[in-house]
Amino acid sequence: MSTQPQAGTRLDPWYGSYSQRTHGMRASEIRALFAVANRPEVVSLAGGMPNIADLPMASIADAVADLLRRDGARALQYGSGQGDPVLRGQIADVMSLEHINAHPDDVVVTTGSQQALDLVARIFLDPGDVVVAEAPSYVGALGVFRAYEAEVVHTPMDAHGLVPEALDEVLTQLAASGRRAKLLYTVPNFHNPGGVTLSLERRPRVIEVARRHGVLILEDNPYGLLGFDGEPLPALASMAPDDVVYLGSFSKTFAPGYRVGWALAPHAVREKLVLASESAILCPSNAGQLAISTYLSQFDWRGQVKEYRRMYAERRDAMVGALQEYLPTCSWTTPEGGFYVWLKLPEGLDAREMLPRAVTSLVAYVPGTAFYADGSGAGHLRLSYCYPTPERIVEGVRRLAGVVNAEADLVAMFGTAPSRTDGVETPGPATP
Amino acid sequence: MSTQPQAGTRLDPWYGSYSQRTHGMRASEIRALFAVANRPEVVSLAGGMPNIADLPMASIADAVADLLRRDGARALQYGSGQGDPVLRGQIADVMSLEHINAHPDDVVVTTGSQQALDLVARIFLDPGDVVVAEAPSYVGALGVFRAYEAEVVHTPMDAHGLVPEALDEVLTQLAASGRRAKLLYTVPNFHNPGGVTLSLERRPRVIEVARRHGVLILEDNPYGLLGFDGEPLPALASMAPDDVVYLGSFSKTFAPGYRVGWALAPHAVREKLVLASESAILCPSNAGQLAISTYLSQFDWRGQVKEYRRMYAERRDAMVGALQEYLPTCSWTTPEGGFYVWLKLPEGLDAREMLPRAVTSLVAYVPGTAFYADGSGAGHLRLSYCYPTPERIVEGVRRLAGVVNAEADLVAMFGTAPSRTDGVETPGPATP
């Protein structure tokens, strides 16, 4: 770079060329943590990786090989931008378990439901638009909204999920201040990271409030079928199909490696999503889609989901039991499904500042601050029970208790614990 | 939708909520045409689908099954946002054939190279920024730049590719008018749709001009290894690694169905690309990446590329031979690789207006207008020889000649051919 007229730097000659949105990009806390969590001696209660070790891998291998032999010229070719029609029909069947009556035409297959999030943001959000989202919210969604230069305004949850009256108040205040709320982003089932579920009774009320304020609901539902007891609750999309874009995923009910998720959207919105997706990736992977389609048609996928529920329930029990035993000074949500416990630290403790000590003690978690757009959440942390074995979970909580108790002693002695966050953040892979 | 304050319509209650960029989205001509091209009685010279029928599908099926049996828990799990490290090393080896000396750390694996295009646009383009691109240019790239509300300014090509002096003039004029050119988008090898290749002699001159104007080069190179004779030319990225983001793909050298492409970028740019990709899709498909990685390590992929060259050369010969026989009133480029011939119609003919008659005559092509951001190109069309058999190619050109000659007769008689474009555009799948 010799005479470039824009400002560059020695380390990055193109620094002056980046778009506005790029200057807001930063490695998420979750990303930084994963490098740490990957060390085998650390019990990671940080990541959201599903445990897929018990999938019938040899039979899946045979089925995929058979698919390639039979239909390889199609599996390895370009496909429809909207996604394979047969798979879209199967996705409609999957959603019927949550009372959704969808037409396959209104389904768009995406590279994981993260891409669906990105596409929804792309077609709706201008810089400065507001997204209302639960406090706390999924870190990956916050990242997407930031990438589109939108502002996130949080709305409170309690043990029964999103609070409709509080949502009404937030939206009313936004309107009064002349700000444009375009989307309500919500994870109604087994919330990430909150661990709570929006009650059946509140669902129509949330819809009524959003509708009254002209706000589209973005229902992100990766965990809906992973409830430990009873039947799945009806999705918001089942109650108000014209008011909801629903996002689904096979990452937790089957496996994440094919990166197959989807959006179900009102017809006109679906058309925009397809155009946006064609621009972004041309078309989703046929090989991945047909593998998932084969799995759904040839395997007892409902039985596998039941097996996952049993396995995750056992891990939830291990975590909650260990918390009761080792961390009586904290409080936490007890999830009825999904992957996460949301834990409140004793007064005065800061989850972010405590993290380096936890890592030194060979346990990792995600500090609550990752799940807020406004920097709050330091008094909370997210614990995942999805990936480690029950024994490792108990050991992890035991280690965490040691750290929390030592930290609480410091706070009791000095009023505050000394900061030691510096140097912890290193790059690493992404995860939900 | 009852009392939504924003303007909706009966057909789309969310019409008033879309972002600015969404209002610029439209179905590309290529997309509209594919629905037509898919009818078996039509000879499609329109699409860019590679012919993968001769891949050793049974052996690939065995290798993929073996991969899943051996390493399924990794193949079906989340992976690194940047892409699998082993595959990134193999990609560096592939690029060494074009004299690129890349470190795997500077490679980002994407969902096809289309996603890499999207990510580069995302990190560099603000609304109103200018992208300089060859006239004509790949339709999918024009769509991406439009999606980011950038403006495309074309720069001329001749039989030796991009003209450095003309580029200098375009960039000088842009600077004089106070407009910010951020990227030079170029397909240097076997251009889509132009069919020409940037000569070795011009390559350093293009780099010098871009560098002098502070413009980053976006080198899109899906066809570089598909030259019919001789060795691949050195990539622009091999000559100026700090000034080029290079995009590659396995879609044409192997198969598109796994959707695996990549970007090679200067180190600091690569970091932004990874952050942008994590926001867009979390991570690329491990299953797809490991399948490609397995193919590269266990199969004679260089031999397969040679086989592809032979097969496409034969089809190019069939097309050029048929053009010489049936369409002496037209002129065209004779590509030395890749998939496309760029054809100039006799004076007065309009490729877009002629299309419905061509479809009635059971042959399809892409009108030149699809490849210009400024509405020009009506006197040209793109013919693909990649997918149909040589016999079908000859038959397609014969049909096209009938249409062109009848159209020319009308023009000779009336001065212009009557318009009959209405009703041709119907939605269909995407393709390069």
Side-chain angles (χ1 to χ4, degrees), chain A residues 270-401:
Chain A
R270 184 277 284 165
E271 288 181 348
K272 306 290 188 197
L273 289 175
V274 172
L275 287 176
S277 190
E278 289 180 351
S279 174
I281 62 163
L282 279 187
C283 61
S285 162
N286 254 8
Q289 290 182 90
L290 298 189
I292 297 273
S293 183
T294 298
Y295 174 76
L296 291 173
S297 64
Q298 294 180 18
F299 288 72
D300 176 19
W301 72 267
R302 288 179 183 79
Q304 179 63 51
V305 168
K306 259 190 204 157
E307 183 45 40
Y308 277 148
R309 287 177 184 174
R310 194 204 50 72
M311 183 257 304
Y312 291 127
E314 186 185 325
R315 289 167 187 218
R316 187 265 325 252
D317 291 344
M319 177 167 279
V320 170
L323 288 170
Q324 285 167 341
E325 180 169 352
Y326 296 115
L327 273 170
T329 57
C330 297
S331 59
W332 54 83
T333 54
T334 299
E336 292 170 3
F339 287 6
Y340 309 107
V341 165
W342 183 241
L343 181 134
K344 188 174 189 308
L345 291 168
E347 208 61 44
L349 266 62
D350 182 312
R352 197 166 165 163
E353 304 227 322
M354 192 175 75
L355 185 60
R357 178 167 293 191
V359 170
T360 311
S361 301
L362 304 181
V363 61
Y365 57 81
V366 183
T369 43
F371 306 99
Y372 287 83
D374 57 10
S376 60
H380 287 81
L381 52 84
R382 187 188 80 175
L383 297 177
S384 311
Y385 49 81
C386 43
Y387 197 73
T389 60
E391 296 67 34
R392 293 275 285 172
I393 290 170
V394 172
E395 174 60 19
V397 171
R398 203 186 57 77
R399 293 177 188 172
L400 179 64

Side-chain angles (χ1 to χ4, degrees), chain A residues 113 116-121 124-125 131-132 134 141 144-145 182-188 210 215-221 236 243-247 263-264 273:
Chain A
S113 69
L117 262 178
D118 183 77
L119 295 177
V120 171
F124 283 110
L125 299 179
V131 177
V132 175
E134 288 132 349
V144 169
F145 302 141
K182 285 226 180 127
L183 300 173
L184 167 64
Y185 174 74
T186 176
V187 178
V215 173
L216 181 66
I217 298 173
L218 179 49
E219 178 178 27
D220 191 2
N221 191 30
L236 297 170
D243 297 278
V244 177
V245 175
Y246 170 103
L247 308 186
L264 169 72
L273 289 175

Side-chain angles (χ1 to χ4, degrees), chain A residues 1-6 11-22 25-28 31 48-53 55 57-58 60-62 64-66 68-69 71-81 111-112 114-116 118 121-127 129 138 140 143-144 147-149 180-182 210-217 242-244 249 251-252 254-259 266 268-272 274-276 278-288 387 428-432, chain B residues 1-6 11-22 25-28 31 48-53 55 57-58 60-62 64-66 68-69 71-81 111-112 114-116 118 121-127 129 138 140 143-144 147-149 180-182 210-217 242-244 249 251-252 254-259 266 268-272 274-276 278-288 387 428-432:
Chain A
M1 298 306 309
S2 50
T3 59
Q4 191 183 329
Q6 295 83 33
L11 287 173
D12 185 1
W14 300 104
Y15 185 82
S17 290
Y18 294 123
S19 60
Q20 192 55 40
R21 68 180 74 81
T22 302
M25 281 181 193
R26 55 175 193 268
S28 73
R31 183 169 182 266
M49 287 203 302
N51 170 31
I52 58 168
L55 282 175
M57 214 57 89
I60 292 170
D62 289 342
V64 169
D66 184 55
L68 287 175
R69 270 186 221 105
D71 209 8
R74 191 163 69 93
L76 299 194
Q77 189 54 273
Y78 289 111
S80 147
T111 302
Q114 185 77 20
Q115 195 212 347
D118 183 77
R122 181 184 297 227
I123 71 168
F124 283 110
L125 299 179
D126 285 314
D129 280 346
Y138 166 50
V144 169
Y148 285 91
E149 300 169 81
R180 176 82 198 265
K182 285 226 180 127
R211 185 181 285 165
R212 183 152 39 80
H213 288 274
V215 173
L216 181 66
I217 298 173
D242 287 342
D243 297 278
V244 177
S249 170
S251 294
K252 280 82 183 183
F254 170 47
Y258 286 113
R259 307 302 297 118
V269 174
R270 184 277 284 165
E271 288 181 348
K272 306 290 188 197
V274 172
L275 287 176
E278 289 180 351
S279 174
I281 62 163
L282 279 187
C283 61
S285 162
N286 254 8
Y387 197 73
T431 174
Chain B
M1 297 306 312
S2 49
T3 59
Q4 190 181 329
Q6 295 83 32
L11 287 174
D12 186 0
W14 300 104
Y15 186 81
S17 289
Y18 294 123
S19 60
Q20 191 57 38
R21 69 179 73 82
T22 303
M25 281 181 194
R26 57 175 192 268
S28 74
R31 184 169 182 265
M49 287 204 302
N51 170 32
I52 59 169
L55 281 175
M57 214 58 87
I60 293 170
D62 290 342
V64 169
D66 184 55
L68 288 174
R69 268 185 222 103
D71 208 8
R74 191 163 69 94
L76 300 193
Q77 189 54 273
Y78 291 110
S80 147
T111 303
Q114 185 75 21
Q115 195 212 347
D118 183 78
R122 182 185 296 227
I123 71 168
F124 283 108
L125 299 179
D126 284 314
D129 280 346
Y138 166 51
V144 169
Y148 285 90
E149 302 169 81
R180 175 83 197 264
K182 286 229 180 123
R211 184 181 287 165
R212 182 153 39 80
H213 289 274
V215 173
L216 181 66
I217 298 173
D242 287 342
D243 297 277
V244 177
S249 171
S251 293
K252 280 82 184 182
F254 170 46
Y258 286 113
R259 308 301 298 117
V269 174
R270 184 277 285 166
E271 288 180 347
K272 307 290 188 198
V274 172
L275 288 176
E278 289 179 352
S279 175
I281 62 163
L282 280 186
C283 62
S285 162
N286 253 10
Y387 197 72
T431 173

Side-chain angles (χ1 to χ4, degrees), chain B residues 205-228:
Chain B
R205 291 163 58 207
V206 167
I207 291 165
E208 185 279 324
V209 172
R211 184 181 287 165
R212 182 153 39 80
H213 289 274
V215 173
L216 181 66
I217 298 173
L218 179 51
E219 178 178 27
D220 192 3
N221 191 30
Y223 310 101
L225 298 185
L226 292 178
F228 303 143

Side-chain angles (χ1 to χ4, degrees), chain B residues 178-243:
Chain B
R179 286 150 85 204
R180 175 83 197 264
K182 286 229 180 123
L183 300 173
L184 167 64
Y185 174 74
T186 177
V187 179
N189 298 312
F190 321 121
H191 190 271
N192 175 6
V196 300
T197 292
L198 182 63
S199 68
L200 182 58
E201 178 270 326
R202 282 189 183 173
R203 294 186 177 219
R205 291 163 58 207
V206 167
I207 291 165
E208 185 279 324
V209 172
R211 184 181 287 165
R212 182 153 39 80
H213 289 274
V215 173
L216 181 66
I217 298 173
L218 179 51
E219 178 178 27
D220 192 3
N221 191 30
Y223 310 101
L225 298 185
L226 292 178
F228 303 143
D229 301 298
E231 292 300 306
L233 288 178
L236 297 170
S238 75
M239 302 172 169
D242 287 342
D243 297 277

